[in-house]
Amino acid sequence: MSLGGDAIESNRKVVVRDLPPHLTENVFWEAVSPWVRLKADPATNEPRTASRTAFVQGKRSEQPSEVDTLSVAYINFSDFKYVLDFVQNFQGHISVSYTHLRAHETL
């Protein structure tokens, strides 16, 4: 039985959930830049590690009785070894907001 391209590619997709709604896209990509690179960096000889990325910004609720909508990031790595490296280094990462609220990201 042979695996199709979609099955092989699916093991390289990572969804980062439970990101704080106040976390901006730029701040998130800067935080993961050691592991997520859409382009190779010839100056440091770092390879391209991801083929596609997306970020969905969360929203803070306006009413105290409502629940915040959390931000989510999607990463399609170019090789499974980059998935492992990212998960080993980013799993359980703690974000601290300017009001000192702490949040644990979930992969």
Side-chain angles (χ1 to χ4, degrees):
M1 178 176 167
S2 70
L3 294 174
D6 290 340
I8 293 171
E9 186 174 296
S10 68
N11 72 357
R12 298 187 317 235
K13 294 178 183 177
V14 173
V15 179
V16 183
R17 302 178 190 279
D18 300 336
L19 295 167
H22 61 272
L23 181 68
T24 65
E25 182 173 4
N26 288 341
V27 170
F28 175 77
W29 294 124
E30 181 65 30
V32 299
S33 64
W35 308 285
V36 180
R37 291 179 299 280
L38 289 171
K39 295 180 181 177
D41 186 353
T44 61
N45 205 22
E46 294 287 342
R48 178 185 117 183
T49 61
S51 57
R52 285 180 285 181
T53 61
F55 185 87
V56 179
Q57 182 68 54
K59 182 180 177 187
R60 295 198 69 142
S61 63
E62 296 179 11
Q63 302 296 323
S65 61
E66 295 177 357
V67 178
D68 292 341
T69 303
L70 300 174
S71 300
V72 179
Y74 302 90
I75 307 165
N76 188 21
F77 286 96
S78 55
D79 193 295
F80 189 69
K81 66 182 178 181
Y82 300 128
V83 173
L84 294 176
D85 190 36
F86 179 74
V87 170
Q88 289 172 349
N89 288 287
F90 200 73
Q91 178 73 24
H93 181 80
I94 299 173
S95 295
V96 180
S97 72
Y98 61 90
T99 58
H100 304 292
L101 295 174
R102 297 168 69 91
H104 291 268
E105 285 76 16
T106 306
L107 301 178

